[in-house]
Amino acid sequence: MPRLFTALEIPRNAAMSLSLLRGGLPGARWIDVENYHITLRFIGDVDWRTADEIIDRLDRIERPEFQLQLSGTGAFGSKKPHSVWAGVSMASEMFALQAEIERICQRIGLPSDPRKFTPHVTLARLRSSRVEDVVEYLSGRGNFVTAPFTVSRFVLLSSRDSVGGGPYLTEEVFSLHEERSNLASNEEHPASSVW
């Protein structure tokens, strides 16, 4: 069974902006543009029955679309950096979606994710990059920001045997619901005429 995780996709325009951050850091193995994503919940290697149950439960999630924006850069691993990333705006809807996915995974019997949810897009994995080089790289890119974009779905991705960073396959797509204004609701269900 492939390794599974849930994620938010990065739209093309934002991915192209992220791709401009590539380069200028010795020892970095850059993630391919088509593999950019925001991990919501790492599930790991599960059997087919468990995978089917996860898919069934994820398919029942009823959450609205929301807006996100990518901004800033950082690194994981302070004394020995192991990856650089772009930051993600702190949308409460994203955290609520992630928490619901976490609850679903625990109800199915998967262990809780020991890591605190820190939304980010991994840009590169680092092999033997010096701290000084990472600091210099980040200092020149701290003002990175994309235009806001709408998140209308989340996905279940799988990764095959690799060192990390892809290639990822989309196994399932789960739609979020379009926010509807009161005006649209009133037009669909007009008030009865008083005449």
Side-chain angles (χ1 to χ4, degrees):
M1 179 71 201
R3 190 161 281 136
L4 298 175
F5 61 98
T6 57
L8 301 178
E9 300 162 300
I10 304 299
R12 184 167 179 73
N13 288 349
M16 294 317 287
S17 295
L18 287 170
S19 73
L20 300 177
L21 299 173
R22 295 165 61 103
L25 180 55
R29 190 172 57 79
W30 299 98
I31 303 297
D32 291 333
V33 174
E34 61 272 12
N35 289 317
Y36 289 148
H37 65 275
I38 301 164
T39 299
L40 293 172
R41 197 342 172 138
F42 180 74
I43 295 168
D45 299 310
V46 294
D47 59 51
W48 290 108
R49 191 182 69 61
T50 304
D52 287 342
E53 191 173 352
I54 290 168
I55 290 166
D56 180 59
R57 302 266 184 108
L58 293 177
D59 202 34
R60 297 181 204 170
I61 289 177
E62 297 271 341
R63 295 231 166 241
E65 294 180 343
F66 55 91
Q67 292 284 305
L68 274 188
Q69 186 172 25
L70 306 179
S71 63
T73 56
F76 288 126
S78 54
K79 292 182 180 164
K80 188 176 185 307
H82 54 80
S83 60
V84 292
W85 47 261
V88 179
S89 60
M90 297 295 157
S92 60
E93 299 93 339
M94 174 181 58
F95 282 88
L97 174 61
Q98 188 277 336
E100 184 169 354
I101 293 169
E102 177 64 34
R103 284 190 300 275
I104 286 169
C105 289
Q106 287 182 33
R107 282 187 196 127
I108 287 172
L110 299 176
S112 62
D113 193 336
R115 295 165 296 193
K116 179 178 181 277
F117 177 53
T118 307
H120 65 280
V121 178
T122 301
L123 300 173
R125 307 220 186 267
L126 307 180
R127 302 180 186 144
S128 70
S129 295
R130 297 178 334 147
V131 172
E132 301 80 22
D133 291 337
V134 174
V135 169
E136 184 179 337
Y137 169 83
L138 295 175
S139 68
R141 291 157 182 86
N143 62 351
F144 169 76
V145 66
T146 65
F149 55 89
T150 299
V151 176
S152 60
R153 65 190 207 169
F154 68 99
V155 293
L156 182 68
L157 297 178
S158 66
S159 60
R160 305 297 176 205
D161 290 336
S162 70
V163 189
Y168 302 121
L169 292 173
T170 302
E171 300 290 345
E172 294 286 336
V173 174
F174 306 98
S175 296
L176 299 173
H177 300 287
E178 205 172 322
E179 281 290 347
R180 297 165 74 140
S181 69
N182 286 336
L183 180 62
S185 298
N186 290 339
E187 286 173 5
E188 285 181 14
H189 306 289
S192 345
S193 172
V194 292
W195 302 103

